[in-house]
Amino acid sequence: MQVTIPGHLFGQLPFYDVADTDDSVVVDLHNRPDLVNIRGALQGGLVATLIDVAAGRLAVKYTNGAGAGTADMTIHFLAPVLEGPARATATLVRAGKRLIVVAVDVVDVSRDRLAARATLSFATMEAREPVQPAATP
């Protein structure tokens, strides 16, 4: 499974697949100068995006192709990601008919330090036809 859809905004971010199994998804976000805050750490919002991407990809596997939308996300930021890459490991907590719960740990790989721990809930969606972009005049 691709990390990003061709042409999507996420394609401009350095996301990389590390592992993708039935019960976990691991995605890296490489650090670079234009992604850090004034203290030199990876922006917290980008860490949150990394968490949501990894967890969402795992959740979708349990929806029988219907899809999932983030319903709730709690993140505990524990340490800055100074060197990177930031590695998010998403694991399944529970998969029900209407709600899927995923846990994610983010590690600053070069420092081998836990940077964040998160829990996300996803609402399962009903399958529908993809939306086609409107034609431009």
Side-chain angles (χ1 to χ4, degrees), residues 68-119:
T70 308
D72 181 71
M73 177 167 46
T74 300
I75 305 172
H76 298 279
F77 293 98
L78 306 171
V81 176
L82 295 173
E83 297 177 35
R87 176 165 292 161
T89 302
T91 55
L92 182 70
V93 174
R94 182 179 187 280
K97 289 183 180 181
R98 295 192 181 122
L99 198 65
I100 299 163
V101 180
V102 177
V104 180
D105 280 347
V106 178
V107 173
D108 183 341
V109 173
S110 64
R111 298 188 321 149
D112 193 27
R113 186 171 185 188
L114 184 62
R117 178 160 284 169
T119 306

Side-chain angles (χ1 to χ4, degrees), residues 35-49:
L35 303 179
V36 300
N37 61 26
I38 61 172
R39 298 185 53 87
L42 190 64
Q43 288 279 356
L46 292 174
V47 174
T49 300

Side-chain angles (χ1 to χ4, degrees), residues 26-78:
V26 182
V27 178
D28 279 0
L29 174 58
H30 288 230
N31 205 351
R32 61 184 196 209
D34 63 329
L35 303 179
V36 300
N37 61 26
I38 61 172
R39 298 185 53 87
L42 190 64
Q43 288 279 356
L46 292 174
V47 174
T49 300
L50 171 65
I51 289 167
D52 196 34
V53 166
R57 286 192 38 212
L58 181 60
V60 165
K61 293 179 183 188
Y62 293 91
T63 65
N64 297 321
T70 308
D72 181 71
M73 177 167 46
T74 300
I75 305 172
H76 298 279
F77 293 98
L78 306 171

